[in-house]
């Protein structure tokens, strides 16, 4: 069985026509889809319901065009990141598993998925969440058939965040939460990043007081999002496995800051594509399927020694500034504005930077 990958554009918040077109032309069948990672055009905040609308549209398509039950379709991992600031185009990357290309002796893209144990409101921002996420990541590695953590290049997650109702429910059980509702997106993402790093042996198990504070602890392959639509960590793990079949490979690098265009090309090289010393978008020759990046505003308020104002802007939230900036850099590097850029990168790459992952078409 081999992995097939397709990037499809979203023409509106409930559009699944690109998915339907890929199925219609035989790229994969509806029942073969195993995961979706996408960008929607909402505000990217706690109340961004475009994520739910896109999720519903894609699941309706799988029910309409496939034979899986509603319960089975509900279990397909779909990670939707809200906010297409700047030039970013709403889109989804669809992953399917089929036998079209057959087995191959070379190392190719493999995918594993898992759901963690239930994450309680009081777990968010605490060691219990780190441990539950780490256990889920290890399960996803087993599902992918990947034994060596060095072969893992991308772990995309979706985890719960706090709402007024979930905080009240925790209080009713006599529990206290670790942060406020509007802080919980970043805290949930950061704690999840630590869980990924622990599972992949990138760091030791952090102390409680280090969570969301010691920013020297991070994962180089984590991309964590959160939302109101689930109560577990939804995990999609991607890496390369010998004999996996298919034509795709994955690689990663780490952006040191928002302008680190070289890291994007380094991730593409790491995936296996030969590039000149100073690449341009034209050198990619259409073989990059997509790049996935995490970013955030540098807490020092500086970028390469220059003063930045995104953390001081009362009109536009910093995460919209950062997403637009990195999206522009990535779009220029790839020659394609349909790039996956997500914010709240705490414990995901170094402070002010973030992981960059590339999937390429390596050929037959």
């Amino acid at each position: 069985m081999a992995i097939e990958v397709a990037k499809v554009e979203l023409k509106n918040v409930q559009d699944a026509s690109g998915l339907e077109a890929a199925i219609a032309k035989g790229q994969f069948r509806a029942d073969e889809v195993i995961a979706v990672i996408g960008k929607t055009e909402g505000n990217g905040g706690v109340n961004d319901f475009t994520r739910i609308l896109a999720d519903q549209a894609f699941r309706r398509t799988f029910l309409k065009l496939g034979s899986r039950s509603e319960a089975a379709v509900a279990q397909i991992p779909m990670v939707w990141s809200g906010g297409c600031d700047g030039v970013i185009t709403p889109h989804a990357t669809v992953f399917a598993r089929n036998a079209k290309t057959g087995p191959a002796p070379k190392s190719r893209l493999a995918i594993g998925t898992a759901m963690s144990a239930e994450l309680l409101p009081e777990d968010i921002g605490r060691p219990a969440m780190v441990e539950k996420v780490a256990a889920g990541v290890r399960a996803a590695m087993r599902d992918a058939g990947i034994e060596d953590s060095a072969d893992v290049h991308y772990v995309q997650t979706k985890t719960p965040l706090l709402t007024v109702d979930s905080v009240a429910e925790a209080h009713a059980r006599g529990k206290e939460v670790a942060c406020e509702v509007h802080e919980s997106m970043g805290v949930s993402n950061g704690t999840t990043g630590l869980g990924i790093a622990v599972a992949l042996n990138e760091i030791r198990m952090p102390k409680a007081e280090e969570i969301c504070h010691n920013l020297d602890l991070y994962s180089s392959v984590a991309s964590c999002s959160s939302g109101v639509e689930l109560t577990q960590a939804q995990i999609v793990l991607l890496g390369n496995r010998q004999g996996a079949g298919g034509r795709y490979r994955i690689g990663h690098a780490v952006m040191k800051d928002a302008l680190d265009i070289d890291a994007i090309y380094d991730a593409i090289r790491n995936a296996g594509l030969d590039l000149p010393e100073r690449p341009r978008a034209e050198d990619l020759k259409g073989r990059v399927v997509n790049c996935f990046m995490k970013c955030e505003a540098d807490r020092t308020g500086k970028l390469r020694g220059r003063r930045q104002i995104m953390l001081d802007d009362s009109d536009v939230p910093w995460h919209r500034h950062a997403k637009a900036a990195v999206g522009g850099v990535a779009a220029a590097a790839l020659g394609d504005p349909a790039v996956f850029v997500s914010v709240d990168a705490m414990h995901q790459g170094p402070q002010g930077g973030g992981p960059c992952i590339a999937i390429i078409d390596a050929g037959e």
Side-chain angles (χ1 to χ4, degrees):
M1 301 297 286
I3 299 299
E4 183 70 32
V5 191
K7 182 163 67 175
V8 300
E9 186 174 331
L10 304 185
K11 295 179 172 60
N12 59 63
V13 293
Q14 297 188 81
D15 174 49
S17 62
L19 171 64
E20 292 190 21
I23 294 170
K25 72 179 182 180
Q27 189 167 0
F28 47 80
R29 294 188 295 108
D31 290 343
E32 294 172 337
V33 174
I34 57 172
V36 177
I37 300 173
K39 288 295 300 180
T40 66
E41 60 201 76
N43 60 23
V46 173
N47 65 335
D48 184 352
F49 297 108
T50 65
R51 298 183 296 241
I52 297 175
L53 293 172
D55 189 280
Q56 291 173 341
F58 271 57
R59 293 189 198 277
R60 282 196 301 268
T61 299
F62 294 134
L63 288 171
K64 180 176 72 172
L65 300 181
S67 61
R68 283 185 280 194
S69 67
E70 189 170 347
V73 167
Q75 292 302 308
I76 300 171
M78 293 195 202
V79 179
W80 296 99
S81 171
C84 288
D85 303 280
V87 299
I88 298 172
T89 297
H91 71 282
T93 306
V94 184
F95 299 89
R97 185 179 284 126
N98 60 38
K100 276 179 54 181
T101 52
K106 296 181 180 180
S107 179
R108 290 291 187 265
L109 178 65
I111 296 179
T113 63
M115 297 291 282
S116 76
E118 184 176 5
L119 293 165
L120 301 172
E122 61 268 25
D123 292 339
I124 295 173
R126 295 193 170 120
M129 184 173 186
V130 176
E131 292 168 350
K132 290 179 181 180
V133 169
V137 171
R138 295 184 189 109
M141 276 187 69
R142 292 191 295 271
D143 186 56
I146 296 175
E147 297 181 359
D148 187 347
S149 60
D151 291 326
V152 177
H153 293 277
Y154 182 22
V155 183
Q156 177 67 60
T157 62
K158 190 80 175 191
T159 50
L161 44 71
L162 295 178
T163 65
V164 172
D165 288 341
S166 66
V167 171
E169 185 271 332
H171 289 167
R173 292 184 287 104
K175 303 294 184 179
E176 294 294 326
V177 297
C179 61
E180 298 295 330
V181 168
H182 286 282
E183 297 173 323
S184 66
M185 179 175 285
V187 172
S188 181
N189 292 350
T191 312
T192 302
L194 290 175
I196 294 167
V198 167
L200 300 180
N201 301 311
E202 294 180 281
I203 63 168
R204 55 170 171 75
M205 180 67 190
K207 300 174 183 177
E209 60 270 22
E210 291 181 300
I211 298 173
C212 300
H213 292 287
N214 183 357
L215 301 183
D216 290 331
L217 301 178
Y218 62 82
S219 171
S220 297
V221 299
S223 178
C224 308
S225 295
S226 50
V228 299
E229 61 267 32
L230 70 175
T231 60
Q232 297 166 276
Q234 184 173 260
I235 300 161
V236 182
L237 179 144
L238 298 89
N240 297 314
R241 191 185 79 230
Q242 199 73 23
R247 56 186 300 124
Y248 301 96
R249 278 184 56 83
I250 188 169
H252 79 277
V254 176
M255 294 181 76
K256 296 185 290 292
D257 60 33
L259 299 179
D260 191 5
I261 195 170
D262 290 332
I264 298 173
Y265 292 125
D266 286 343
I268 295 168
R269 290 189 184 95
N270 187 243
L273 195 61
D274 289 331
L275 295 176
E277 183 178 352
R278 296 301 304 169
R280 297 168 57 90
E282 292 79 6
D283 297 316
L284 306 179
K285 302 186 186 306
R287 293 179 62 187
V288 175
V289 180
N290 207 357
C291 280
F292 306 81
M293 284 146 283
K294 289 295 291 189
C295 65
E296 65 176 5
D298 193 310
R299 292 162 190 259
T300 66
K302 299 282 187 179
L303 178 57
R304 302 196 179 184
R306 296 291 192 181
R307 174 173 169 258
Q308 299 285 286
I309 58 87
M310 63 179 75
L311 290 171
D312 297 319
D313 192 338
S314 297
D315 298 312
V316 180
W318 69 262
H319 62 85
R320 309 201 76 159
H321 281 284
K323 201 181 305 175
V326 174
V329 171
L334 303 179
D336 182 0
V339 291
F340 185 94
V341 181
S342 176
V343 290
D344 275 325
M346 188 188 303
H347 297 309
Q348 301 151 73
Q351 141 68 6
C356 176
I357 296 96
I359 295 176
I360 68 160
D361 185 340
E364 297 291 351

